[in-house]
Every structure is written in structure tokens, then in C-alpha cells.
Amino acid sequence: MEQKNGTLLEIHDLSVSFRMYDYDEFRHNDIRRRLKQTDLQVISDLHLIVNPGEIVAVAGSSGSGKSLLASAILGILPDNATVRGHLHYKGEEMTAARQRQLRGTEIALVPQSVAFLDPLMKVGAQVDGHRRPRQTERRKSLFQRFGLPDKTPQLYPFQLSGGMARRVLVSTALISEAQLIIADEPTPGMSLNQALEALRLFREMADEGKAVILITHDIDLAIEFADRVAVFYAGTTVETAFASDFKSGPDALRHPYSKALWNALPQNGFLPIEGFQPYAGNLPGGCLFAPRCPYKTPQCIAEIPPIREVRGGEVRCQHEMNF
Amino acid sequence: MSLEAKNIYFRYNKKQSWILENCTLSVEKGECLAVFAPSGYGKTTLAMLLSGYLKPVEGQILLENKPLPKKGVCPVQLICQHPEKAVNPRWRMKQVLEESGTLHKDVLGAFGIERAWLDRFPRELSGGELQRFCVARALMSGADYLICDEISTMLDVITQAQIWKVVLAEAAKRNMGIVAITHNKNLAQRIATRIIDLSHSV
């Protein structure tokens, strides 16, 4: 796979599948029903490029594999997962050993669930981590910027509110010397000002030449700080757009799903499109969005559209986007 | 016909200062009340008090001028902020849903719950998928009031719009009262018939 110069992270043709045991469909009502081993492909042909100094927002349907992407980059998927494709960090192939070495030092994660905090460890010690010397001063200044009360470091995770726990999680990643932060929905539960502060801190990091992958549902906040937006649907990237495209509205976007996302924002109509994202075990042939797409043609159902470049962004749709 | 919090005071132990102090709020049937407050203010505590999971130290929670019933399915149902912490990790999703009554097919359709998910464990589903189960579970119990504690923050905007559409349609049909705790002003303006900001009232 050809490498562009100077990218921080490059992902090409990434697929993730899980080995699992399911009832044989045809034998479901059979008295001899038995378990069958199947591979459930949850991420397919995914592309993502992250440059230094950039915030790439990852938006998209819940269950489209956004968090799995984070786990795949860090190499922390469970044992029954199979990863195929090319992952390059600073131009070098990511191997399991390299992932182990990079995670926590070069690449930091802001986990999605507040349940990732150690329930038996006080927050302050947890954020300082095992680094020597302990970065207590940096932690204090981070907590202050986040407006966390002075007593917070002495609390246990169960004593925190949802928004406080989020701010603590974001601090754990910001305090590290990481070159790349993967923030998996860092802002829910935070008030608007706190969320803005968190994103401002990410922006400062990116401006120092580091990079952030910001997985989020708060598209309206993300586009204020991000450079590019990757839109995920059913385990693949359907569009990579500039953040400014989302600001200028649906006409600047390239994929019908991105347009639907824009239209569903509470401030832009709150209009949901019909239907649901297909289940990973039951994907349609052809374009994954075709069953819900208002512009589908027989060709969309027949084959998976390739990725094309349109107006500087990338889109996986065969239509010329001038609906 | 309303759910009321009357001058409630709450703290988890006596050494602590008050989390909620003289907090009063009421929601009528058929109304959707959006509640704003800064993070750490005690919104989730308030939600737990309103739905009977916690007892106020002073003051009362009144449902139609009576305290919340102690037996049976509570007519005030809470939908939590973190769905992964609100379901039994050792139950399959089918069992989770059936906790609040017999499963109807139309419920699955309305919330976009796939049949295959019913045989899975909670850790095998995404946050958004789990939250649909939690909303379905609360609506299936036949509650009169729903307390929604930031239920859509972990959902994508299309699913958020879909779920609120179902909740609001169901609420209108059964004349339910809703308390929606949220940080998103735009969302509140869309769904609520009344908005209060608790940070100004104390």
C-alpha cells in the first residue's frame, strides 16, 4: 500500500470481524437445532487518514463501528476478533507488538464509558497514573480549566456526576505526552461550556502538531473545532468532508447519509429518515445505505460503489451529488 | 394530575453539604418539561428522587398528591444516562425487556430492535442499541411519567430524532408526563413544552 508522506495515521481497507456462535437459521425450529460458528463482519473496507496538526471528527450512526475502530487502532479488541487491512502509524506498519508499545504513551484513548475508571482508586492518583515524576501540577491546571471542584482528586469515581467523570477521563488522556488522542465521545454529560473547553484543549494539542480523532455525536460542536469529518455508516466510511462543508449545509455534503444526518439535527429540522442501519450479519449487497436512500437506483443495489474524490473530499456513492 | 417535588432536600450522608436544597418542581400529565442545570448540580440525583430510587431527606415527592406507591410497577419510570449500567450484564436482552411485561412485536419495530439482538448479552451491543432497549422497557411498563436523564446523548442524531419521535408519540397517546434532563438547548426547544433552568432558581 502506497504511503503518503508525513501522515500520522493511515488506515486502508480495514476490516474487523468477530467469530461467534449462532443458531443455524434453517434449523431454528428444528429439534436438532445446533450452534454454528460464523464470522460477523462489523467493519469493512474502512479508510481514514489523520495528518499531524489535525482534528478528524468521526460521526455516524450508533453501532457503525466507531468505537471498534478505536479499539482496532490500539489493538485492544477481544480475542475472537480478526483484523485485516493496513494500519500505518508514522509510516510504519502497526504490529501487535508496536501497538502494545504505542498505546498509553504515543496514542492515548478517552474511553466512551465512564465505567472505565478504576472504581477503587481515587480520581487524583488515577489521572496522575504511573508516570514518574507524577504530573500533579499539570493535573491541577487541567482540573482547574475544566472547573472541577478542589476536592475532586480525593473522590472515588462513584462520587462523581456523569459530567465530572467525563472531564476526568479527558484529563487522563490530555495529561499524557501522546501524539495521537482517540477521544471516544468525550463530551456527553458535560455542559456546553465544559464541552467547549474540552474541545478547545484538543484544538490546542492539534495546533502543537499532535492529532486527535474525535468520535462524537455532537456534530454541531465538533465542526467548530475539527478540520475534517469522516462519516461512518454500517462499518465503513461513506464520506470524508471538510468541517466547513457541514457548516454550509446539506448542499455542500456529498453522501445522502451525511445530508440525512444534517437534517436530523435539532436545529435543522429534527427530521429522521425512515428505517434503521442494517445489522452487521444481514448487510445488503451493493451500497450499504441503499435500502434507506431516497435516490437509489438498480445499480446501487447491484454493486458496492467505489470511493471517489468529489470537491476535495471522498465519497462512497456513485451518484453525482447535485440533488 | 401532576408529579411534584415539594421543597426537597437531599444529601447522601450527614457529613456532606446539601446536594439539593429546597428544590421544587412539578410536571403535569401531557407535558414535556426540559430541565437544565450545570454538570454536578444534582440532576441525576433529582431524577432518582423523582422516580423513587432515593428518598428525600426532607420534603416530599407527590404523585397526584400522594406519595409514590411502594409496591408494584412504579408509575414513574426512569431512563438512565448510561444504559450499560442500567441493564443486568448477565441477562440476555430478551430477559431484560421481558422484565417489564410481555414482548410485543410492534415494540421491536418501533425502536428498531433487531430480533437477533434479543439473544445477545448487553456487552455485545453498542450504547445506542442498548439505550433503545431501555426506552422500550420503560414504555412497555405502562408508566404515567417518564424521567429521561440525558437519554439521547450517546445516540447519533438520526436515532435521537427517531427515539424522541416514538417517545413523544407514545406520550401524546397515553397522555404521559415527561421530565427530560438535557444539555442540548436545541433539543430542548424541539421536544419540550416548558423549559426550566435550575441554576437560576437557587
Side-chain angles (χ1 to χ4, degrees), chain B residues 118-178:
Chain B
L118 292 174
D119 291 323
R120 296 216 215 153
F121 285 107
R123 66 184 152 80
E124 297 170 327
L125 292 172
S126 79
E129 288 161 358
L130 272 181
Q131 190 65 298
R132 297 184 210 188
F133 279 92
C134 293
V135 175
R137 179 174 63 172
L139 280 175
M140 271 163 56
S141 67
D144 292 325
Y145 292 91
L146 275 188
I147 316 291
C148 304
D149 186 4
E150 302 202 41
I151 59 165
S152 59
T153 40
M154 76 298 299
L155 302 175
D156 67 88
V157 285
I158 293 178
T159 315
Q160 164 172 287
Q162 280 176 338
I163 287 211
W164 274 110
K165 230 174 150 183
V166 177
V167 170
L168 293 177
E170 197 70 13
K173 203 161 78 189
R174 298 199 225 157
N175 197 26
M176 295 164 79
I178 296 178

Side-chain angles (χ1 to χ4, degrees), chain A residues 60-63 113-114 161 163-164 167 188-191 194 217 257 261 265-267 269-270 272-273 275-276 279, chain B residues 39-40 81-82 84-85 109 112 116-117 120 126 132 150 153-158 160-162 165 183 186-187 190:
Chain A
S61 185
S62 17
S113 170
V114 293
S161 79
M164 287 164 84
R167 282 176 276 164
M190 290 191 199
S191 70
Q194 294 155 1
H217 289 308
Y257 179 68
L261 272 183
L265 285 171
Q267 58 270 44
F270 206 43
I273 49 166
F276 302 99
Y279 170 56
Chain B
S39 164
Q81 188 179 353
H82 303 294
E84 68 275 17
K85 292 204 257 179
W117 297 351
R120 296 216 215 153
S126 79
R132 297 184 210 188
E150 302 202 41
T153 40
M154 76 298 299
L155 302 175
D156 67 88
V157 285
I158 293 178
Q160 164 172 287
Q162 280 176 338
K165 230 174 150 183
H183 280 302
N186 293 314
L187 176 67
R190 277 281 167 188

Side-chain angles (χ1 to χ4, degrees), chain B:
Chain B
M1 295 293 267
S2 64
L3 174 69
E4 275 179 283
K6 262 193 178 166
N7 309 92
I8 49 173
Y9 285 75
F10 186 82
R11 59 184 167 193
Y12 286 95
N13 61 50
K14 281 186 178 165
K15 283 182 216 153
Q16 234 178 6
S17 54
W18 294 110
I19 295 172
L20 291 171
E21 219 174 334
N22 200 10
C23 180
T24 301
L25 136 160
S26 85
V27 56
E28 302 286 324
K29 266 196 159 183
E31 182 184 41
C32 180
L33 174 72
V35 178
F36 277 116
S39 164
Y41 171 87
K43 297 188 296 297
T44 300
T45 306
L46 179 64
M48 307 251 286
L49 284 162
L50 284 173
S51 49
Y53 285 98
L54 295 171
K55 295 266 167 294
V57 177
E58 276 171 48
Q60 281 178 302
I61 306 288
L62 296 174
L63 176 69
E64 270 116 49
N65 296 319
K66 282 180 290 213
L68 290 175
K70 290 201 175 105
K71 279 183 181 172
V73 177
C74 184
V76 184
Q77 284 291 319
L78 173 68
I79 306 172
C80 301
Q81 188 179 353
H82 303 294
E84 68 275 17
K85 292 204 257 179
V87 294
N88 188 333
R90 295 193 171 191
W91 279 4
R92 290 185 190 272
M93 294 317 297
K94 194 170 184 209
Q95 209 176 346
V96 171
L97 266 189
E98 283 179 341
E99 199 183 5
S100 70
T102 326
L103 204 57
H104 292 294
K105 268 197 186 132
D106 48 328
V107 178
L108 298 187
F111 289 96
I113 296 174
E114 298 276 345
R115 291 211 73 85
W117 297 351
L118 292 174
D119 291 323
R120 296 216 215 153
F121 285 107
R123 66 184 152 80
E124 297 170 327
L125 292 172
S126 79
E129 288 161 358
L130 272 181
Q131 190 65 298
R132 297 184 210 188
F133 279 92
C134 293
V135 175
R137 179 174 63 172
L139 280 175
M140 271 163 56
S141 67
D144 292 325
Y145 292 91
L146 275 188
I147 316 291
C148 304
D149 186 4
E150 302 202 41
I151 59 165
S152 59
T153 40
M154 76 298 299
L155 302 175
D156 67 88
V157 285
I158 293 178
T159 315
Q160 164 172 287
Q162 280 176 338
I163 287 211
W164 274 110
K165 230 174 150 183
V166 177
V167 170
L168 293 177
E170 197 70 13
K173 203 161 78 189
R174 298 199 225 157
N175 197 26
M176 295 164 79
I178 296 178
V179 178
I181 294 170
T182 177
H183 280 302
N184 189 334
K185 285 226 154 71
N186 293 314
L187 176 67
Q189 274 160 4
R190 277 281 167 188
I191 57 170
T193 48
R194 188 157 62 94
I195 299 177
I196 56 166
D197 194 333
L198 287 177
S199 53
H200 298 322
S201 64
V202 179

Side-chain angles (χ1 to χ4, degrees), chain A residues 14-303:
Chain A
L14 181 78
S15 315
V16 176
S17 56
F18 286 98
R19 196 178 335 110
M20 50 191 281
Y21 294 89
D22 245 332
Y23 286 119
D24 199 332
E25 189 125 328
F26 300 104
R27 292 170 170 267
H28 208 281
N29 296 320
D30 198 318
I31 205 142
R32 294 164 295 159
R33 73 180 193 173
R34 58 171 186 195
L35 287 169
K36 198 181 81 175
Q37 189 183 26
T38 50
D39 269 329
L40 186 69
Q41 184 151 336
V42 285
I43 290 185
S44 46
D45 301 330
L46 188 136
H47 291 259
L48 190 70
I49 291 173
V50 184
N51 298 308
E54 222 180 17
I55 297 183
V56 179
V58 174
S61 185
S62 17
S64 63
K66 301 190 295 294
S67 303
L68 286 174
L69 169 69
S71 304
I73 295 172
L74 293 162
I76 51 173
L77 286 165
D79 288 342
N80 64 337
T82 318
V83 182
R84 262 170 272 116
H86 304 274
L87 271 168
H88 290 270
Y89 179 74
K90 289 186 176 167
E92 276 177 65
E93 179 97 39
M94 287 273 241
T95 56
R98 187 124 191 276
Q99 281 172 325
R100 206 174 307 123
Q101 181 200 341
L102 291 177
R103 64 179 178 236
T105 52
E106 288 252 334
I107 307 180
L109 173 74
V110 181
Q112 181 183 17
S113 170
V114 293
F116 275 67
L117 289 168
D118 183 341
L120 298 178
M121 195 171 172
K122 285 184 179 171
V123 164
Q126 213 166 143
V127 174
D128 287 350
H130 300 295
R131 285 173 291 271
R132 294 274 184 267
R134 284 178 177 261
Q135 294 182 307
T136 314
E137 286 310 311
R138 171 107 173 105
R139 187 245 292 160
K140 274 184 191 155
S141 78
L142 276 172
F143 276 21
Q144 207 162 21
R145 280 193 70 173
F146 275 131
L148 286 164
D150 294 339
K151 61 173 198 303
T152 310
Q154 278 78 52
L155 297 178
Y156 287 99
F158 78 93
Q159 294 167 305
L160 304 176
S161 79
M164 287 164 84
R166 288 279 174 208
R167 282 176 276 164
V168 169
L169 280 175
V170 174
S171 309
T172 57
L174 284 171
I175 204 170
S176 68
E177 307 280 293
Q179 291 296 307
L180 174 65
I181 288 188
I182 305 173
D184 193 354
E185 298 193 35
T187 52
M190 290 191 199
S191 70
L192 184 61
N193 284 337
Q194 294 155 1
L196 288 175
E197 186 64 37
L199 293 173
R200 218 170 283 138
L201 281 161
F202 285 144
R203 187 69 255 176
E204 283 170 24
M205 263 199 55
D207 291 343
E208 288 167 22
K210 300 170 180 175
V212 181
I213 298 178
L214 178 65
I215 300 173
T216 185
H217 289 308
D218 293 328
I219 301 174
D220 43 345
L221 290 187
I223 56 175
E224 295 298 325
F225 293 90
D227 301 288
R228 288 186 297 133
V229 182
V231 182
F232 278 31
Y233 186 76
T236 194
T237 29
V238 292
E239 174 170 353
T240 319
F242 298 108
S244 54
D245 296 342
F246 264 91
K247 278 187 213 165
S248 37
D251 293 335
L253 296 168
R254 297 161 189 82
H255 196 280
Y257 179 68
S258 321
K259 291 174 198 270
L261 272 183
W262 194 91
N263 284 322
L265 285 171
Q267 58 270 44
N268 306 339
F270 206 43
L271 290 169
I273 49 166
E274 290 292 308
F276 302 99
Q277 175 177 253
Y279 170 56
N282 195 12
L283 291 180
C287 174
L288 296 174
F289 187 63
R292 298 169 79 183
C293 182
Y295 312 108
K296 70 165 174 252
T297 59
Q299 204 192 340
C300 300
I301 300 165
E303 58 182 55

